[in-house]
């Protein structure tokens, strides 16, 4: 009887995750997380790649964190290599929530510089969670190559990732402040300010940095 009930619950969850109503999909993901079912791990990961609603995706991630890492990790590591940007982004987000450093080798330079901003942002967040002790300086160097990229939201995400690495990013940021690219210089200066004063708002930090860059002009060679 128990097996029959489990089968019925799994079928109901599968149907719920495919429902056209986001509220039903949300409840289905909640149900799977509340009563974890190993047979549904693949479906949860698959759904993450196509689910259009943020809150449902977040619940899917939560449901995955409720299952054994031995089951979720292989599925998620496959997803970070997907051609679908949302699949990569959500898999990286879920890996950051699981926090198992076995996933670290999957956080490649290609993902950290992914052309899709959401994927890159997810990779930055995952990287600072998963980076092994001693490899933080190398990560900081790679992250610094993304300074000046994208809109304010993207730049804020990168600054937060860099600041999360702590004082070791200071030399890297100092080097970036001499870049020939004014966007890179401004972003580096704003991140320096956030490192010194975490309570500073990014908006004011970046605007102040832009003023400094405008006043000082391009760095001089020699």
């Amino acid at each position: 009887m128990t097996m029959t009930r489990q089968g019925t619950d799994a079928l109901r969850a599968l149907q719920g995750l495919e429902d056209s109503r986001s509220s039903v999909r949300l409840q289905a993901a909640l149900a799977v997380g509340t009563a974890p079912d190993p047979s549904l791990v693949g479906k949860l990961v698959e759904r993450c790649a196509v689910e259009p609603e943020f809150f449902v995706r977040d619940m899917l991630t939560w449901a995955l964190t409720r299952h054994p890492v031995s089951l979720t990790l292989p599925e998620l590591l496959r997803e970070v290599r997907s051609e679908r940007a949302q699949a990569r982004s959500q898999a990286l987000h879920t890996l950051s929530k699981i926090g198992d450093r076995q996933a670290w080798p999957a956080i490649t330079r290609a993902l950290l510089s992914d052309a899709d901003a959401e994927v890159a942002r997810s990779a930055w967040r995952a990287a600072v969670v998963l980076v092994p002790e001693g490899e933080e300086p190398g990560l900081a160097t790679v992250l610094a190559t993304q300074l000046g990229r994208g809109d304010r939201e993207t730049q804020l995400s990168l600054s937060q990732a860099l600041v999360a690495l702590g004082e070791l990013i200071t030399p890297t940021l100092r080097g970036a402040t001499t870049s020939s690219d004014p966007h890179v210089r401004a972003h580096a200066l704003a991140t320096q300010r956030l490192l010194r004063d975490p309570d500073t708002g990014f908006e004011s930090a970046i605007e102040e940095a832009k003023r400094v860059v405008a006043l000082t002009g391009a760095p001089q060679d020699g």
Side-chain angles (χ1 to χ4, degrees):
M1 183 178 295
T2 300
M3 292 300 292
T4 302
R5 186 182 305 116
Q6 287 179 339
T8 302
D9 290 345
L11 180 59
R12 185 180 299 115
L14 285 170
Q15 292 172 337
L17 291 172
E18 295 287 352
D19 197 276
S20 61
R21 295 163 293 179
S22 61
S23 60
V24 175
R25 300 196 302 275
L26 183 69
Q27 286 301 314
L30 174 61
V32 177
T34 302
D37 183 340
S39 71
L40 295 175
V41 167
K43 182 61 181 178
L44 291 172
V45 173
E46 178 186 314
R47 187 65 208 174
C48 282
V50 297
E51 172 54 51
E53 296 294 332
F54 169 80
F55 292 110
V56 180
R57 291 199 302 272
D58 222 35
M59 189 64 77
L60 291 166
T61 283
W62 174 78
L64 283 165
T65 67
R66 299 272 295 159
H67 289 78
V69 174
S70 60
L71 297 178
T72 57
L73 198 58
E75 296 275 357
L76 293 168
L77 293 180
R78 276 193 292 273
E79 285 293 279
V80 300
R81 298 190 295 271
S82 171
E83 292 184 2
R84 186 190 293 268
Q86 183 173 306
R88 299 196 301 278
S89 175
Q90 198 63 24
L92 288 163
H93 174 66
T94 305
L95 287 171
S96 74
K97 295 300 182 183
I98 292 172
D100 192 303
R101 286 182 169 172
Q102 291 182 83
W104 168 248
I107 312 300
T108 61
R109 191 183 187 111
L111 284 172
L112 293 169
S113 58
D114 198 283
D116 186 278
E118 194 57 44
V119 175
R121 290 171 59 198
S122 295
W124 301 337
R125 289 190 290 264
V128 297
V129 170
L130 301 173
V131 62
E133 186 175 352
E135 296 199 32
E136 297 93 344
L139 174 58
T141 299
V142 176
L143 291 179
T145 66
Q146 302 301 297
L147 285 166
R149 171 183 176 174
D151 59 16
R152 291 293 171 87
E153 192 175 7
T154 299
Q155 292 189 3
L156 171 59
S157 291
L158 181 61
S159 291
Q160 289 173 328
L162 284 163
V163 168
L165 293 174
E167 292 293 335
L168 65 88
I169 68 169
T170 299
T172 303
L173 290 178
R174 188 180 302 120
T177 62
T178 65
S179 169
S180 60
D181 187 329
H183 300 291
V184 172
R185 297 206 306 280
H187 195 182
L189 288 168
T191 305
Q192 281 183 330
R193 183 175 175 188
L194 289 178
L195 181 63
R196 292 193 303 267
D197 182 7
D199 293 328
T200 299
F202 183 73
E203 192 69 26
S204 61
I206 194 69
E207 288 303 324
E208 178 185 330
K210 283 183 172 182
R211 286 193 294 273
V212 170
V213 168
L215 288 170
T216 57
Q220 300 297 312
D221 293 331

